[in-house]
Amino acid sequence: MARIGVILPSILLGLVIVVAIQIHVLRETYIELREEMIRLHKHTNVRNVPGVPLTDYLDLESENADNYLDQYTTALHNTDDDQMDEASQGTSIDADVPPHQNIVILKTHKTASSTLQNILMRFGIERNLTFAIGKGVYRLGYPYHFRKNDTFPLNVDHINIFCHHARYSDDIKEIMPSDSKYITILREPLSLFPSLFFYYDIPSVLRMNVTGSVALDTFTSNPTEWTRAIPVYGSSLRNPMLFDLGLPLASLGNLSDIRSYIQRIDTVYDLILICEYFDESLIMMRDMLNWSTDDIVYIKQNARSDDHSKPISSKTVEKLRKWNEGDEVLYDHFNRTFWNKAKKYGLAKLQHEVAKFRSRLREWARSCVSDVPIRGIEMKDKDFRPYGPNTLVYPLLPEQNQNSTCRHLVKPELKFTVEIVRSMYARGLFQLPSTRNESQQNEYVLLDALVNS
């Protein structure tokens, strides 16, 4: 008994130490994750820059192109879409062909990609599909080029959906089925860059001691020097869309390399959406994937509050255009590509489908959420609370709290990702090692915490 009295305290002390270490690791991991998410989800309004006019991107040599353009740009304002034929609601484009399920979304920053991602996550979880889950959970190796070992190994022969933040590399093709559809989204660069700049809170990161448009003026006075202070993330501040799409760092300022890389992008992606024409883009995606209209409905993610920045000076605008010249060339190219596809689809048909789609969006919004948004900090239900305290969210109507589609429509990225991880874990999809070395222990600690919390 005396011996037990000596050994037992030692065992208990050992257990306490082990638990303390685990708690410390989890705490540090959560703190790191929380700080990263807070930094990535900060919002500051900047001046709205309108989308590039359709006339700049349509080939008007076609005999009927002017008529199509006129129909498209005016019909949306003149159509009583509440009375339009609703026959396409809830049905696939071709009932004899199953909806396409193997999809890669290359998630670019500040381009409405969170809303696009929500559509993919909802489609996947409702069908028990398999997602690529990164060892950073909501990131797939970002901001570095994706490597196939950035994902947790799974007990299945293929992955259906790849939709979390990743920087493109051909390794994606090695983990995805050969029939995967590749999709991404672009935004007009002059609109995108200030939004990204304040979203990352770059003035604070660079300790500029100035805010708003003055911070942009300061940055553009010598952007090369400023970005040296944050090597990898600094690189993502020049031509950020090309950065996300995988252009090597050494080529971000080389226009010849950029043009060559754009041609390569053209061969990889089946559809590149345009943020300024988001609904039109979703209709094109719906038909390409043979999805239903209800598969692509959305409630906007990461809406900003009513904070406003001062207008950007014309001098700073010109400097930003020069600094992000590669993204300008990228956007121009794929805006033309998109509208060439839209012409083949039929502009009159497209505007008709968009009108019906927007009617359906209103129906879902009316049935699911309050029409008065609140700030994230005021959201009582943690499942729907965004990490940005001033991000606007639409509360669920009380009677829809058990409606899974309504819940998914308003669930923010990280919370939705946790739900997906738990669903995949419960189905035994994660290939868990029976014993773990130190490296594996570190890799799995966040996964374990999310599943068991």
Side-chain angles (χ1 to χ4, degrees), residues 183-237:
I183 299 167
T184 191
I185 182 168
L186 303 178
R187 178 179 174 183
E188 197 280 318
L190 188 58
S191 170
L192 179 147
F193 187 84
S195 181
L196 183 75
F197 186 80
F198 294 110
Y199 182 80
Y200 278 101
D201 197 12
I202 296 302
S204 295
V205 172
L206 295 177
R207 300 178 181 177
M208 285 183 166
N209 298 318
V210 289
T211 59
S213 59
V214 178
L216 271 177
D217 296 340
T218 302
F219 177 82
T220 56
S221 67
N222 195 349
T224 302
E225 190 61 33
W226 279 113
T227 54
R228 283 178 183 157
I230 41 176
V232 177
Y233 277 105
S235 298
S236 71
L237 289 176

Side-chain angles (χ1 to χ4, degrees), residues 18-19 21-30 32-33 134-137 152 421 425 432-433 436-453:
V18 169
V19 170
I21 291 172
Q22 291 298 323
I23 291 173
H24 175 74
V25 170
L26 287 174
R27 181 177 178 274
E28 292 301 311
T29 303
Y30 277 126
E32 180 183 352
L33 180 62
K135 293 174 181 175
V137 180
F152 284 112
V421 167
Y425 191 93
L432 302 174
R436 302 178 187 175
N437 57 36
E438 184 177 350
S439 175
Q440 289 173 322
Q441 189 64 38
N442 291 333
E443 288 176 355
Y444 281 87
V445 65
L446 186 54
L447 178 67
D448 293 339
L450 292 178
V451 169
N452 297 318
S453 62

